[in-house]
Amino acid sequence: MKDINTLLNKISNSKDLDFGTIFSNSFELFKKTWLQGFLFVLISILVMLPLILALYLPFIGMMIAQSEDGYSGSSAISQFFTGMSILYIIFVIIAIFALSAISFALEAGFFRVIKKLDYNEPTKTSDIFYFFKAKYFSKTFIIMLASFGISILALMLCYFPIFYVMVPLSFLNVIFAFNPELTTGEIVKASFKLGNKKWLLTFGLLFVSGLLAEIVGLLMCGIGILFTVAFVYHPTYLIYKDVIGFDEEHVIDEIGNTVE
């Protein structure tokens, strides 16, 4: 973990990065991480599914009940929202933030798994849940509140700024993953500093890697997307690695293993 001034200085003094090199390295790294990426996706689905069901089942039940009473289509939806209680609305808001925080914590944990595999370090499935510890998980809620606030502000400015802030916001989880002791404000500041410095490169990598992961996944009968979707995290990780790097000194021995 580095202090905020060290991070900002490294970002300011960072060298230019090559799109092709990072994209190629992402493929090479993905060869090491595809299985853990698949497990990460499955775990994310299994962990969040109960909360998603709790969120949507009342809506589905209300729609069915309204349809049986003679309402349909927009009328049923209107009746549903008219009949919603304040408590349910509060539950929906809390559930959305909870889902976002859970997803953020899992993604941060997966970044740590990527790093371990990158340096040939041993990993275990529980590493994905690293940020579910109380001292870290509470911070994910605060970070997501900040992220939502920034996104809403960007949307209020006629939508175009959301395309700008989406790049800095994409660095929130990777910076949090390797610098969890920073304050929320410092994490946001570092994310925007890195996002501004490498905006065009990051946008291009995220767009191409996301499109490729989706196309390849769909070509594999749809189910393949469970294996390919984790690919989109690799360019972000590699940008962080090349710009900021890690505190540890990694030495490669004669047989290719990493010794710290």
Side-chain angles (χ1 to χ4, degrees):
M1 194 274 289
K2 302 176 177 66
D3 63 77
I4 185 62
N5 291 326
T6 301
L7 261 68
L8 297 180
N9 287 335
K10 282 181 174 288
I11 294 170
S12 296
N13 299 320
S14 62
K15 62 182 180 180
D16 292 335
L17 302 177
D18 181 69
F19 181 99
T21 299
I22 293 179
F23 197 65
S24 176
N25 289 341
S26 295
F27 272 109
E28 293 303 315
L29 184 55
F30 183 67
K31 294 176 183 178
K32 295 182 179 181
T33 66
W34 69 268
L35 179 57
Q36 285 75 12
F38 172 66
L39 293 175
F40 158 68
V41 173
L42 285 183
I43 289 171
S44 298
I45 294 172
L46 293 174
V47 169
M48 293 191 288
L49 186 60
L51 193 54
I52 294 173
L53 291 176
L55 182 63
Y56 284 100
L57 281 178
F59 179 82
I60 296 172
M62 182 71 74
M63 290 289 291
I64 294 174
Q66 294 289 351
S67 298
E68 291 177 348
D69 290 339
Y71 298 102
S72 62
S74 60
S75 297
I77 296 175
S78 176
Q79 288 292 323
F80 169 73
F81 283 107
T82 301
M84 276 201 315
S85 67
I86 297 298
L87 287 177
Y88 182 72
I89 295 174
I90 294 173
F91 168 75
V92 169
I93 294 173
I94 294 175
I96 290 173
F97 277 107
L99 286 170
S100 300
I102 291 171
S103 177
F104 186 88
L106 289 171
E107 289 170 3
F110 181 57
F111 274 118
R112 293 180 69 89
V113 171
I114 292 176
K115 185 252 182 182
K116 286 188 174 184
L117 293 170
D118 185 21
Y119 288 100
N120 299 315
E121 299 171 7
T123 63
K124 50 185 182 295
T125 304
S126 60
D127 290 335
I128 295 176
F129 297 95
Y130 181 86
F131 291 102
F132 278 67
K133 300 173 183 177
K135 65 177 181 177
Y136 296 134
F137 192 65
S138 58
K139 185 178 286 188
T140 65
F141 279 92
I142 302 174
I143 295 174
M144 292 317 302
L145 281 172
S147 177
F148 274 115
I150 293 169
S151 299
I152 291 173
L153 180 61
L155 286 172
M156 291 174 62
L157 297 173
C158 301
Y159 292 97
F160 178 74
I162 194 66
F163 290 101
Y164 171 76
V165 301
M166 64 181 285
V167 170
L169 292 178
S170 69
F171 285 107
L172 282 174
N173 46 20
V174 67
I175 290 179
F176 172 68
F178 301 114
N179 307 274
E181 303 304 327
L182 293 179
T183 67
T184 299
E186 290 172 340
I187 291 172
V188 172
K189 185 176 182 179
S191 298
F192 270 81
K193 182 78 171 181
L194 181 54
N196 292 338
K197 185 77 172 180
K198 306 297 182 185
W199 194 94
L200 190 60
L201 172 70
T202 305
F203 180 83
L205 284 167
L206 290 177
F207 178 79
V208 173
S209 60
L211 184 63
L212 182 64
E214 184 174 353
I215 292 174
V216 174
L218 291 175
L219 289 175
M220 296 170 64
C221 302
I223 193 69
I225 201 167
L226 295 175
F227 293 89
T228 60
V229 69
F231 177 71
V232 299
Y233 296 98
H234 293 65
T236 309
Y237 163 81
L238 289 173
I239 292 174
Y240 177 92
K241 176 185 175 183
D242 290 341
V243 172
I244 298 174
F246 306 104
D247 290 327
E248 300 93 337
E249 290 292 333
H250 296 273
V251 180
I252 307 298
D253 64 20
E254 65 275 8
I255 60 173
N257 294 321
T258 301
V259 180
E260 294 187 22

